[in-house]
Every structure is written in structure tokens, then in C-alpha cells.
Amino acid sequence: MPDRGGGPTGSRTRVGRPSGRVRFLLLVLGLLAVLAMAFVMFSGFWTDWLWYRSVDYSSVFTTTLWTKIGLFGVFGAIMAVAVGFNIWLAHRLRPPLSAMSTEQQSLDRYRMSIAPYKKWVLSAVAALVGLIAGAAASGQWRTWLLWVDGVPFGKKDPQFHLDVSFYTFDLPWYRFLLGFGFAAAVLSVVAAALTHYLYGGLRMTSPGARATAAATSHLSVLIGLFVSLKAVAYWLDRYGLAVKSSGFKSTDAWTGLRYVDANAYLPAKTILFCIAVICAVLFFATLWRRTWQLPLIGFGLMVLSAILIGGLYPAIVQKFTVQPNEQAKEAPYINKNIKATRAAYGIDDTQVTDYSGKGGAAPKDEQRKAADSAASYRLVDPNIVSPAFQQVQQLRKYYQFPSTLNVDRYKDPSTGKLQDTIVGVRELNVAGIQKHNWINDHFTYTHGYGLIAAKGTDAVTDPSQGTVGAPDFTESGLPTTGQLGPLKHQQIYYGEKTTQYSIVGGPQKELDYESKGGNTKTTSYQGNSGVSLANPLNRAAYAVAFSEPQMLYSGAVGKGSRILYNRTPKDRIHAVAPWLTLDGDAYPAVVDGHIKWIVDAYTTTDSYPYSSRTTLGDTTEDSLTNHSRSVVAQQNQVNYIRNSVKATVDAYTGKVTLYQWDTKDPVLKTWMKAFPGTVEPKADVPAGLKAHLRYPQDLFKVQRELLTRYHVRDAAQFYSGSDAWQVPDDPTTSSNSAVPPYYLSLRMPKQKSRTFSLTSTFTPSGRPSLSGFMAVDSDATSSDYGKIRILRVTGDNVPGPGQVQSKLSGSTDVATFVRDLKGSNSDIEYGNMLTVPVDNGFLYVEPVYTKGGNHRTGSQNYPLLKKVAASYGGGKPVFEDSLGDALNAVFGTDEQPPSTTQPPGKQTKKPSADDKALQQAIQDAQQAEADSKKALTHLDKDGWAAYGKAQQKLQEALDRAAELEGRSSKSGAGRGGGSG
């Protein structure tokens, strides 16, 4: 035969076998691949550890990690041993000889094929189920920590008289153990049955008995264990009725036992428990009787009992006992539900007062004075003026403000009193960087700059101070200056919009800010935040974690370099306290010279007995909610919530601090036991921080939603739903979303003074009229902080927000105003409609903005406060140029509101005749100017004539004003000289 191998005759070469050098190379490459995969996994663990250590919360990382590892190891091992032992036992109990049947001959091939690998197969199956079970168990680390560290609530449920902690901390863990036991029993039965079948212990078609005595005993014990667990499940189901959600009608979802639960399901579960115990004993008895006849009869009886006793009997009770007189039967259980729900949501101490809403009989001038003292009317809407902040205070394209600003309180230096203030942080906007590259995006542009503030009650009214109607800034510029005092650091390294990582403090300088003259100021981060990249191991780990190999060799990374990431306040708090639910709104404040983010955090559970559940995602949604302002919930369905923690994040250092706020909350106490040292005591809250703490919006929205039904305490009235309320839609938008709550300083009836409050309104279910007004004291320094007051409207057809808005939009004044705006290419935009109780009636105040305009004439393209609408007691809405004019018009008086900028102690001088004449001249001039603008919209013969007439009136009014101003100045100078 010819040599097809290409070598000499008689020689043979193994084609395709690699040489020793190639094999060594492949071995090295394989080892490197394994090491690379290992380092990728290690880098995730290592960077997490470094981050937690950098924020001083390494105990959270270690506690969570060791808890997960412990649960994984223990339950994984238990499952692996349980399944592996039963496979081994089934193999050991195999019959010595198999019947020579076709079935067994087919199985012989499988037995012979796995015979050399029996140990490996057993180990692999046990390891696989162990890994799956361990992974599932590690996800229960919260349940384990709550169970092992749980503290009592000090309250007992009304049915079983057990402490609430049994339902919130113990019962979830017992249910997990039960579920794990069921899984272990089922897998053991399946594994044992397959092994018995493979080795002849179970036969399908072979002659003789279908199962050997050993197989019968083995499987019977396993099924007996399963039935025993079912008995335990029946017993726990009794307690589960207290946290079971159901309803009287399809539209009502509530939690706790009903009549049928207490009188049918509860006895049924007890009976089924007894039957399951007997059935389990019968299965265990097969160890001696060697037959399945009695156990199968018992199992069938248990299934039949579950259908008849657990299903049919309660249905009969519901149909023939409850439904004919449901209200009377359910009344005791409704009362339990009302009491538990009000306690679980913190609304049990709500003060409800009847209020006519029609308006009192006081004289108009007294009502006008009452309106002045009732509230500090926040005309500057934080949900509208963000574009004004953006255009006036952005200053550089790479800065930005949030679309919705925040309301806070700061002292007015001229009066020494607190005033409602609109605040926003000038954060970095990476999209606005002119040239994108790795250095610019992560080394040069690293932070925002400054906190901007404006008055909440006033806009600019003097043209010399800015555009009329624009926000009246009290802190502005770059760097910022104003009333908030000197700031230690104005740089914003941590903020709501700061999502990218930055590397700071190294050789590469950062852009700090650009001054007015175009001079660029640079800086280098001096804080101790972030993780050092000086260590080569750290650089390599972060290069892998962020998929950025340039970190390894770039000269921009060197001595002192630190990487900052997880930079949004909610991300940082969520990482260090994963057991908290976070409010959707993180708001900035100047605290003792530092800019800090404040986030309200909640403890929740869905296992409070008898308390109705609510869905956080739906309940906290309103017309202003977006992705960045959504609640960060550990569980979306809850039936207990407390604002237990106030958290702060320093905008410069990124330091996270958790302060205990609710000192009585047992859920927080439990987590503090699980993670000791992570939450600071309430006594350590600095006074400067406490002055800016407020009642959280998301908690308020949850409570107001519950109060639409649970303001009623009478069971019959609750059942009928005759007094059910609803949260109205926002009348200023077309989104059909709930009206957001509003912060403003408010004095409720019988309160001595105004206090910073969070407010909302209610309307009857399916109707637009007003049914209630809700306010909660939001000033954390007040002794009444958190006190909820509701004014229940007793008058008929008191107009609600939607009705007032509809009347206003259809008024002649508004129609004329809108028509004139269209002529100047501007649009109208309604601000927040504030509702204020005044003299047994409700005063509605709404700022009205204009946006757009003719750029040729210099109009600003951001909202300007131009008008104020008001309505009181169901009367006709008024539409005026200022708040004072609107209140005068709505109450039919000429009284001027007291100055808000008058120094303390200075007496208000009664205006003289010249002062009144000067004021009238100014008003005439303003009206003439408005008539001139209106006339220019009709450029025909009549329009030019009207324009000329208006200009003549304007000149006459200005002449009168100049003359009166001169007389007033001379008079004032004479008085001043006399007093000197």
C-alpha cells in the first residue's frame, strides 16, 4: 500500500496530535482564562468591599455577606444531604435479584452504564439541588435577620392575642421553613422513587408485587413527612387569616378575618390539621404493616376533607349566613380592620373637625385681615419656575437644575423671620459638555456648583431689579452669594443628576467654575470620599468593573487619585441601608455652612394583622411624579409604614448619615439590632439640620389615600361607602393624575400662628365638590410635628379645586388675557392652586404665569408670574395683577396687605392723602401701559387711536406721580431734619 502519511515506508505518525510545546501553550492559555474569569468575579466583590469601607458602612457589607453565606451553606447542605441520603438509602434497599422481565432487562442497560460512576452521579445530583436550594435560601437574608433580631411591638392582634411581631417577624420565617421542607420532601420522594424504580424496588409491568417491602416503607415515611408538613401548614394558615387580603365586594380590598374566616375557615383549618396528623401517622405505620391501603385511604380522606370542609363549607356559610345580613355580621370585623389600619399607617390620632366651607358672616374687612394671617401664600410654584432657574442661573451649558424644585425655609435677614423659599442645586450636566472624551467626562468636568434660592411668596416687581415676574433670587451667581451665608464648599460632587463616575484628586486638574470674565478656575478634590486608585490592585479591579482599561495605564490616574461613584443620594442611602424604603424626593438644604441632601426613609411591612394593604407605586403617584421622584420601595405592597429615619448625604464629601427619627418603631429597632452602629440616635440630630427637616410627601400621600376611606370610624358607614372620598385630579394639568400635596406656611382654624404645613384636598367619590381639607404640621422643630388635621366639609356643594379652575378658565378676564397673549406669541400656565381655610370658608389662590413671547421685543422664554387668581366661598373667581389686588377684589375691600419686609418693631404708618394719590397715579400708569399693549394687537385705525389715547393717559399719570413723589420727598426730608 502506498504511504499516505507522507513519511518513509514503515513509519507511522499520529496525525493531529499537538506537540508538547503546543499542549503547554494551550494549558497556559486555559489557566489564564480561568484566572481572568476568577479575577472578574473577584473584582465585583473587591470593589463592593472598598466602596462600603469608603463610606464607613463596612459592617452592612459584612453582615449581609455572612448572612447570605450562612443561609446558602446551611440550607444548601440540608437539601443536598436530604436528597443524597434518600438516593443512597434507596440504592442500599434495592432487591438482590430483579425479575427477568422485559422492563428489567431494559433497565439493566442503564444500571450497567452508571455503575462505574454511581458516586459521581450521587454527588452531582446532591450538589446541584444543594446549590439551587442554597441560592434560594440566601435571598431570605432579610427574613432571617428580622426573625432572629425581632423585638415585640407591644400590641396584640384581636383574634389570637399574639404580639404583632409574631406576624411581622416570626410567621414569614416559619413559612419559608415550611416551603423549604415541602421542597426537600418532594425532591426526596422523587429521587427515592426513581432510584427504587431503576434498581427494581418499584415495578410497573413486571410480574409479582409492584413494590418491595423496603421501598414501600421508605416512600411511606417520606410521604408521611410531607403530610406532617401539610399539617403544620394547616396550623399556620390559621394565623395567616389575620394577614390575608380579601374584601366584602370586588371593589374593596382589606386585610384580616371576616365572619366566614372566624366561623368557617378557622374551625376548618383546625379540623384539617387533625386529619393531616392522623394521615401522617398512618403513613408512618407502614413500617410495621407493610401496606399502603390505610395510608391511601387516609390521604384520600384528607383531600376530600380539604374540598368539603375547607372549600364548600365556608362557601355555604357565606351564602346562607353572611350575605342575607352582611353588614351586621361583618361589623365587628370591620371595626377591627379600621382600628388596625389607622394604627399601622399612623393616622389613628388624626383630628377631624366639622367645617361648613361656605364662609362666615364676618365683615369683609375682617375676612380680608383673616386672609392675610391665614397663610404665607407661596405664589412661586417650584414645579413651574425651573426653566427660569435654568435660563437665569444655569450660566454654563454643562450645568442643570431639576425639572421640579423644592420648598424649604430660610430666615429673611430684613425681618429675622422664616420665609418659604424655593431652592435648587446647580448640578453637572455631562450632556452639555462641548467636547466629549474620557478625560473631559471623568476628570475635568466632575461636579456642579452652588445652591440657588428664591423667595417663595414674591416674584420680581421692580424692573430695576430684574424681569418683572421672574423669581426673586436670594442666593444666586457663580460662585453664589446672598442670604444663605458663607458656604464651606459650593462644589456639588453628589447630586440627583450625577450618575457618572469621576476620578478626582490626582494629577489631572478639575474645572471648578468659569468666572464672569471667562477666567477658568481649577481645583483638586480635597475630600476623603471615594476609593483610592493608588493601589495597582484597586486600579485593575475598577478597570474590570467599569470596563475601562485606560484606568490601568493613563497618566491622569496617579498619586492621590480617587474614584467617586454611586453618587446620587438615594443610591448611596439604598446601598448602606437596603432594608429601608426611600421617599421619592431628595431635597437639598444649607446646614451649618454645608450643602446636604435630605432623604426621608421608611420602615415597612406587609404583615401587620388586620391592616389593609396599599400599593406604594400607585398611591405615591401624582401629576408631578417621574422616574427620578419615584419611591424606592423594598416591597410595593405594604400595610404598615413609619418615617423612621432621616438620612443625609453631604454634597461635597458624600458622607451618608442615618438618624433615628421614630424612636418607638419596632421595625427600626429590629434593624438597628441587626446592623448595630449604622443609625445615629435622634438626640444627635443637629439643630441646623432639624430646622430643614419636614414631613415627607410620599408618607403624606399614602396617608391621604387611606383617609379617603378610613376617616370613617363607624362600621356601618364604612361598609356602605356613603362617605367615601377621593383625591382629586390636578386641575392645572390634563394628565388626569392626582393633585400633588403642597408645602406652605398655614394657620389652621384654632391654631394661634402659622406653621410650615403639607396640605391637600378631598372630594366625594365620583363628585367634584369639596368634601375635606387635610394639613399636617411639617415643621420638625414644632411640638405638633406630624399632627394631621382634617376639616370635614359639612356644607353642600362647596366648590372643589376642579370646579374653581373651570370657572376661572371660563371667565371673561382670563379669556381676554389669553387672547392678548396669543397676539404676543405667549402662552398661559397655571401654577399650584393653594387652598386655605378662612372664616369657615375656603380661599383658593392660584398664580398664573406666561411663557414664551416675541423674541424681537426681548420677551423672556421662561415662565413669568403675571397674574394671581383667587376665589372664596363659591363666589366668582377674580383675576388680578398681584396677590393684594386679588384678595381685595375677592373680599370686596381696598385694604392693602401689611409689608412682609418691614423690620421687626417698626410701626406701620397710616398712608397720607398724597401717598394714596401717588399709589393711584402708579396704578393709572400701569393700566395705561396695559391699554397701550392691548391696542397694538389691533393695528387698524381704531387701534392707533386707542394707542394714542392710552399713551396720553400714561404721560398724565407719570406726570402726576412725579409731582407727588417730589412733594413726598420734600415732606420726608423736613420730618427727618426735625427729628435730627
Side-chain angles (χ1 to χ4, degrees):
M1 296 291 294
D3 182 8
R4 300 183 185 274
T9 304
S11 66
R12 305 189 113 185
T13 304
R14 294 186 179 180
V15 180
R17 181 173 180 177
S19 64
R21 180 178 298 178
V22 174
R23 290 199 302 271
F24 176 76
L25 181 61
L26 292 175
L27 179 63
V28 171
L29 290 176
L31 181 61
L32 290 176
V34 172
L35 291 176
M37 293 177 61
F39 188 77
V40 169
M41 293 185 289
F42 167 78
S43 65
F45 163 81
W46 184 243
T47 53
D48 285 347
W49 161 250
L50 291 174
W51 187 87
Y52 276 96
R53 192 175 64 175
S54 72
V55 293
D56 296 326
Y57 282 90
S58 55
S59 62
V60 175
F61 179 80
T62 55
T63 299
T64 305
L65 178 64
W66 286 116
T67 302
K68 291 180 178 179
I69 291 175
L71 292 173
F72 179 89
V74 170
F75 286 94
I78 291 174
M79 182 65 77
V81 169
V83 175
F85 171 76
N86 282 285
I87 293 174
W88 173 83
L89 183 59
H91 177 265
R92 185 177 179 85
L93 296 176
R94 68 190 185 278
L97 296 174
S98 300
M100 295 306 295
S101 63
T102 304
E103 179 186 22
Q104 293 303 315
Q105 289 176 0
S106 299
L107 291 174
D108 275 339
R109 291 195 296 270
Y110 295 104
R111 288 194 287 264
M112 292 176 64
S113 62
I114 66 172
Y117 311 105
K118 285 190 293 186
K119 292 182 179 180
W120 290 103
V121 172
L122 175 62
S123 300
V125 172
L128 178 62
V129 296
L131 288 172
I132 296 174
S138 66
Q140 297 294 322
W141 64 271
R142 291 184 179 88
T143 308
W144 161 261
L145 289 175
L146 287 174
W147 178 69
V148 75
D149 294 305
V151 300
F153 273 66
K155 296 181 179 180
K156 296 183 177 180
D157 78 282
Q159 181 65 39
F160 302 101
H161 307 292
L162 296 174
D163 191 90
V164 173
S165 61
F166 170 80
Y167 300 93
T168 56
F169 304 145
D170 299 343
L171 190 58
W173 178 250
Y174 297 153
R175 281 176 165 168
F176 163 71
L177 291 179
L178 190 62
F180 180 84
F182 276 126
V186 170
L187 289 175
S188 296
V189 169
V190 172
L194 289 175
T195 306
H196 280 299
Y197 176 71
L198 181 63
Y199 287 95
L202 293 178
R203 306 183 186 96
M204 298 299 177
T205 60
S206 301
R210 291 286 181 262
T212 62
T216 300
S217 299
H218 185 195
L219 294 177
S220 295
V221 169
L222 291 178
I223 297 174
L225 290 173
F226 177 87
V227 177
S228 299
L229 292 173
K230 188 60 181 176
V232 176
Y234 282 134
W235 189 258
L236 290 181
D237 285 346
R238 299 168 68 253
Y239 303 110
L241 293 172
V243 293
K244 176 179 67 72
S245 289
S246 58
F248 303 119
K249 306 170 186 176
S250 60
T251 56
D252 294 331
W254 74 300
T255 302
L257 282 82
R258 299 180 294 161
Y259 179 91
V260 70
D261 296 317
N263 295 277
Y265 279 111
L266 190 57
K269 296 294 183 182
T270 305
I271 295 172
L272 290 172
F273 164 76
C274 297
I275 293 174
V277 170
I278 295 172
C279 185
V281 171
L282 293 176
F283 274 103
F284 292 139
T286 57
L287 288 172
W288 297 276
R289 291 183 55 86
R290 306 287 181 174
T291 176
W292 279 355
Q293 185 176 5
L294 286 178
L296 291 177
I297 293 175
F299 189 80
L301 177 62
M302 186 180 73
V303 173
L304 182 62
S305 300
I307 296 173
L308 296 178
I309 302 175
L312 184 60
Y313 173 64
I316 293 174
V317 172
Q318 178 69 24
K319 179 70 175 179
F320 296 102
T321 303
V322 177
Q323 287 186 4
N325 193 17
E326 188 171 32
Q327 180 176 315
K329 294 292 185 182
E330 302 289 10
Y333 305 98
I334 295 175
N335 285 326
K336 294 176 183 178
N337 174 258
I338 292 174
K339 184 177 180 180
T341 301
R342 291 174 63 89
Y345 288 95
I347 56 177
D348 47 342
D349 293 329
T350 300
Q351 177 183 316
V352 181
T353 306
D354 287 342
Y355 192 80
S356 72
K358 288 289 190 178
K364 295 295 184 181
D365 57 344
E366 292 185 11
Q367 289 182 335
R368 176 67 177 82
K369 291 179 181 179
D372 282 334
S373 62
S376 175
Y377 300 92
R378 186 178 44 70
L379 299 180
V380 181
D381 187 349
N383 311 308
I384 287 182
V385 299
S386 178
F389 274 59
Q390 189 77 6
Q391 291 195 37
V392 178
Q393 292 296 326
Q394 180 190 23
L395 302 182
R396 299 293 181 268
K397 189 178 180 181
Y398 47 81
Y399 291 134
Q400 65 179 330
F401 290 93
S403 58
T404 299
L405 303 175
N406 286 282
V407 181
D408 205 342
R409 298 139 291 155
Y410 291 92
K411 281 188 177 180
D412 184 348
S414 62
T415 64
K417 296 182 179 180
L418 289 174
Q419 67 177 8
D420 294 351
T421 305
I422 309 301
V423 296
V425 170
R426 188 193 284 125
E427 293 194 52
L428 178 67
N429 178 18
V430 178
I433 299 175
Q434 186 173 2
K435 184 178 180 180
H436 286 280
N437 53 55
W438 189 59
I439 296 295
N440 277 348
D441 291 351
H442 299 287
F443 290 83
T444 304
Y445 297 89
T446 59
H447 58 272
Y449 208 95
L451 181 144
I452 307 301
K455 292 181 180 179
T457 54
D458 302 298
V460 173
T461 56
D462 187 350
S464 64
Q465 297 178 356
T467 304
V468 175
D472 189 356
F473 293 104
T474 58
E475 184 80 15
S476 60
L478 183 67
T480 65
T481 57
Q483 299 179 2
L484 302 187
L487 298 178
K488 186 173 181 180
H489 298 290
Q490 292 197 22
Q491 295 89 346
I492 308 297
Y493 281 92
Y494 295 88
E496 289 185 291
K497 303 294 185 180
T498 313
T499 56
Q500 79 287 351
Y501 74 87
S502 291
I503 299 177
V504 299
Q508 181 71 34
K509 289 294 184 180
E510 309 165 46
L511 172 66
D512 202 19
Y513 65 91
E514 293 183 63
S515 61
K516 290 183 179 180
N519 297 323
T520 299
K521 305 292 184 180
T522 61
T523 188
S524 184
Y525 183 65
Q526 300 299 315
N528 58 357
S529 181
V531 178
S532 173
L533 294 180
N535 187 328
L537 176 62
N538 292 357
R539 292 176 67 172
Y542 279 102
V544 173
F546 287 94
S547 301
E548 188 50 71
Q550 292 186 77
M551 289 187 191
L552 289 171
Y553 52 80
S554 174
V557 182
K559 184 178 180 181
S561 292
R562 309 180 71 86
I563 184 169
L564 311 181
Y565 62 105
N566 282 357
R567 298 170 68 182
T568 67
K570 289 192 288 187
D571 283 348
R572 295 179 76 79
I573 296 169
H574 177 66
V576 303
W579 35 273
L580 288 174
T581 292
L582 304 183
D583 191 272
D585 186 22
Y587 60 97
V590 176
V591 179
D592 300 328
H594 296 266
I595 300 176
K596 292 183 180 290
W597 293 96
I598 303 174
V599 180
D600 287 284
Y602 311 111
T603 49
T604 62
T605 182
D606 63 349
S607 302
Y608 194 100
Y610 271 100
S611 173
S612 291
R613 291 184 174 88
T614 188
T615 304
L616 289 180
D618 297 336
T619 307
T620 59
E621 185 177 359
D622 58 34
S623 62
L624 300 177
T625 305
N626 53 43
H627 179 70
S628 62
R629 292 174 63 90
S630 299
V631 63
V632 181
Q634 296 303 318
Q635 49 192 153
N636 203 23
Q637 283 275 338
V638 303
N639 66 353
Y640 171 93
I641 186 170
R642 289 290 186 272
N643 177 210
S644 299
V645 172
K646 301 286 188 178
T648 64
V649 176
D650 192 290
Y652 183 80
T653 66
K655 179 177 176 57
V656 180
T657 308
L658 308 176
Y659 293 103
Q660 182 183 19
W661 189 247
D662 190 332
T663 58
K664 298 180 180 179
D665 178 30
V667 181
L668 177 61
K669 291 179 180 179
T670 297
W671 286 119
M672 291 175 68
K673 279 182 63 180
F675 297 97
T678 57
V679 181
E680 304 294 329
K682 186 176 182 178
D684 290 350
V685 177
L689 172 62
K690 195 172 184 179
H692 295 282
L693 298 180
R694 67 190 192 188
Y695 201 80
Q697 293 186 68
D698 283 340
L699 175 60
F700 182 85
K701 287 186 279 190
V702 169
Q703 290 174 326
R704 75 172 178 180
E705 183 65 32
L706 268 295
L707 283 167
T708 59
R709 290 184 295 155
Y710 287 93
H711 68 279
V712 174
R713 300 196 184 193
D714 179 72
Q717 192 177 15
F718 182 90
Y719 174 83
S720 67
S722 59
D723 195 23
W725 296 346
Q726 67 183 12
V727 178
D729 292 340
D730 189 348
T732 65
T733 69
S734 58
S735 61
N736 295 324
S737 299
V739 62
Y742 296 129
Y743 287 106
L744 75 158
S745 295
L746 173 75
R747 180 173 62 83
M748 290 285 282
K750 298 183 180 180
Q751 277 190 296
K752 295 181 180 179
S753 59
R754 294 185 303 210
T755 185
F756 190 63
S757 303
L758 188 57
T759 66
S760 187
T761 54
F762 297 106
T763 59
S765 181
R767 294 175 54 200
S769 59
L770 196 66
S771 61
F773 176 80
M774 176 181 177
V776 60
D777 192 325
S778 300
D779 185 354
T781 62
S782 169
S783 59
D784 284 340
Y785 172 84
K787 185 172 184 178
I788 300 174
R789 296 177 174 90
I790 290 182
L791 301 179
R792 178 166 46 204
V793 178
T794 58
D796 295 330
N797 297 321
V798 175
Q803 292 174 307
V804 173
Q805 183 68 51
S806 179
K807 284 184 180 180
L808 174 65
S809 301
S811 68
T812 304
D813 292 341
V814 173
T816 302
F817 183 70
V818 171
R819 184 189 63 197
D820 294 343
L821 285 178
K822 295 298 183 182
S824 59
N825 296 324
S826 297
D827 294 318
I828 191 171
E829 192 166 358
Y830 292 104
N832 41 220
M833 179 177 285
L834 305 177
T835 308
V836 178
V838 176
D839 188 29
N840 282 318
F842 288 99
L843 171 65
Y844 291 96
V845 175
E846 183 177 25
V848 180
Y849 294 80
T850 62
K851 183 178 181 181
N854 192 332
H855 294 283
R856 181 175 56 83
T857 61
S859 298
Q860 298 295 323
N861 192 26
Y862 55 81
L864 298 174
L865 178 60
K866 290 298 185 182
K867 292 284 186 177
V868 178
S871 176
Y872 178 75
K876 179 182 177 182
V878 299
F879 193 66
E880 302 293 337
D881 293 330
S882 67
L883 175 63
D885 291 343
L887 295 182
N888 289 341
V890 81
F891 290 108
T893 66
D894 293 327
E895 180 177 338
Q896 296 299 317
S899 173
T900 58
T901 59
Q902 179 179 337
K906 184 175 180 180
Q907 299 297 320
T908 304
K909 180 175 70 67
K910 184 176 180 179
S912 65
D914 284 347
D915 292 335
K916 291 182 177 179
L918 177 60
Q919 182 66 28
Q920 183 61 47
I922 293 174
Q923 291 180 2
D924 291 345
Q926 291 174 340
Q927 182 61 47
E929 183 179 8
D931 292 342
S932 297
K933 292 181 179 179
K934 182 177 179 180
L936 288 175
T937 61
H938 303 283
L939 298 181
D940 51 14
K941 181 178 180 181
D942 293 338
W944 283 114
Y947 177 76
K949 186 177 181 181
Q951 285 292 304
Q952 183 179 359
K953 289 183 177 180
L954 175 62
Q955 187 60 46
E956 291 174 355
L958 292 174
D959 291 341
R960 277 190 292 126
E963 181 183 356
L964 291 167
E965 180 65 26
R967 284 161 50 183
S968 177
S969 299
K970 292 178 181 179
S971 176
R975 287 193 297 270
S979 64

